[in-house]
Amino acid sequence: PLQYRTTPRDRRRFELTLPPQTAVIESLIIYALKQGEGGEKAVEICRKMGVSEATYYNWKRSMEVRE
C-alpha cells in the first residue's frame, strides 16, 4: 500500500513511499495465479494482465517449484 510520511526537515512536506518493486510484481503474479485456481481461463487472465500465456505458465511453473 502507498504510505505518506513526513520528512525530517519539514514536517509539512510529505514524501511518498512505495513498497519494493519486486514485492509489487510478486503480489500481481500471485493474484493472477489465484484467479486461475478460482476457475478463470488463462486466456482471460493474460488479457487482463497484459502478458502472454507463456509468461503466465512460466509464473505457474515457478510458483509450483517454490512450494
Side-chain angles (χ1 to χ4, degrees):
L2 299 178
Q3 297 177 349
Y4 289 96
R5 65 183 172 120
T6 57
T7 58
R9 292 189 335 194
D10 184 2
R11 294 288 177 201
R12 291 173 289 149
R13 280 185 62 171
F14 287 95
E15 176 178 291
L16 181 63
T17 59
L18 297 170
Q21 189 159 357
T22 54
V24 172
I25 293 170
E26 190 168 319
S27 66
L28 289 173
I29 292 170
I30 291 169
Y31 173 75
L33 295 176
K34 283 187 179 182
Q35 285 182 325
E37 289 175 359
E40 192 166 348
K41 294 184 179 185
V43 176
E44 290 298 314
I45 296 168
C46 294
R47 185 181 58 78
K48 289 178 186 177
M49 300 288 293
V51 298
S52 69
E53 285 185 67
T55 299
Y56 173 81
Y57 288 113
N58 284 337
W59 290 345
K60 191 172 180 178
R61 187 178 62 227
S62 71
M63 288 299 178
E64 287 173 354
V65 170
R66 288 185 186 184
E67 295 174 346

